[in-house]
Amino acid sequence: MSTGGAVLGVGGSRVVFAVLVGVVALLLSTVSTVSAVGFLAAALVLATAVSAVEIVQAYEQRALTVFGGYRGLLDPGLHLVPPFVSRTYRFDLRTITIDVPRQEAITRDNSPVTADAVVYVRVVDAKRAFLQVDDYRNATALLAQTTLRAVLGDMELDETLSRRNVINTRIREGLQGPTDDWGVEVEMVEVREVLPTPVVRDAMEEQTSAERRRRAMILEAQGERRAAVESAEGERVSNVLTAQGEKQASVLEAQGESIATVLAARAAESMGERAIVDKGLETLVEVGRGDSTAFVLPQELTSLVGRYGRRLSGSDVAVGEGLAGREFDEEEREMLGLDDIETIAAGGNGSDALPLEDGDASERE
């Protein structure tokens, strides 16, 4: 209730009471003058008591005037005031809401918009609210309307639609200065809705649709590019793995051929030495059958005698180097995996030579 409404409520009730008393006294005067005088006296006493008592609620304060002069504020509770010459004005100290009707404004980029808001205010100084402004609610509502239009006009359309908190803050700051002088505190301002005109909304929807289509095309192109990159990377990795496999196969094949060649060479060497040994034995047998006691042996047979002479003839001919295969170094054996080839070849040479008994040697001699 506004200040004017409070005044009308208090003063109007007294006027109504006086009218009722006058009507009753007039009716009683037609019956008896004494009754009419007694009634008027009782009514006067009752009216005096009612006018002198003021009951203030816990959530309000009342401004008291006597003969039109300000006498102070009445706090919650029971108060006695001068009868018939006093008037009180009630101020609710609770937070109240003031509805700001829809306002039309032109933004800084010349786009028409409409907006409405709600303002939450509270009286903090009833004296200033009584003496400084006629109706603080109506004054705050009108000030909020003009401030809302000014704030919207100082912003662009996109800002009015997306920066609601900024609008609320600026409206509150615009209201605080004048309302502080009125003894009213603006607790909060909330803009409920900001809408452009239908034509602007249609244009914004078309712009939004175009932007979404553009983003969809960009995302699709990025997906295709990423898929192509992944495919090329997969193909490259596949080619590398294939090349590595072919390289490893070639290396293994070459190693296999090398091993086969070495083994064949070792086998040929072993077979050649065995053939020389066999031929040498046959030659010695033929020589032993002859009548001559002196004969010349070739170098190969000398080597043979050096290797097997002690068993065959008891000769003390020095052992020569003989026919030996080429030795492989550690790097070649490690590369070809032939660490045991030398042992196999050496074992074969030794095992193929059969030892002769001493009796046979005597017979040969």
Side-chain angles (χ1 to χ4, degrees), residues 32 78 123 125 211 262 302 341:
S32 173
L78 180 64
V123 175
D125 190 344
E211 181 66 19
V262 170
T302 303
I341 292 178

Side-chain angles (χ1 to χ4, degrees), residues 24-41:
V24 173
L26 181 61
L27 293 177
L28 291 177
S29 65
T30 59
V31 178
S32 173
T33 304
V34 177
S35 300
V37 173
F39 176 77
L40 288 176

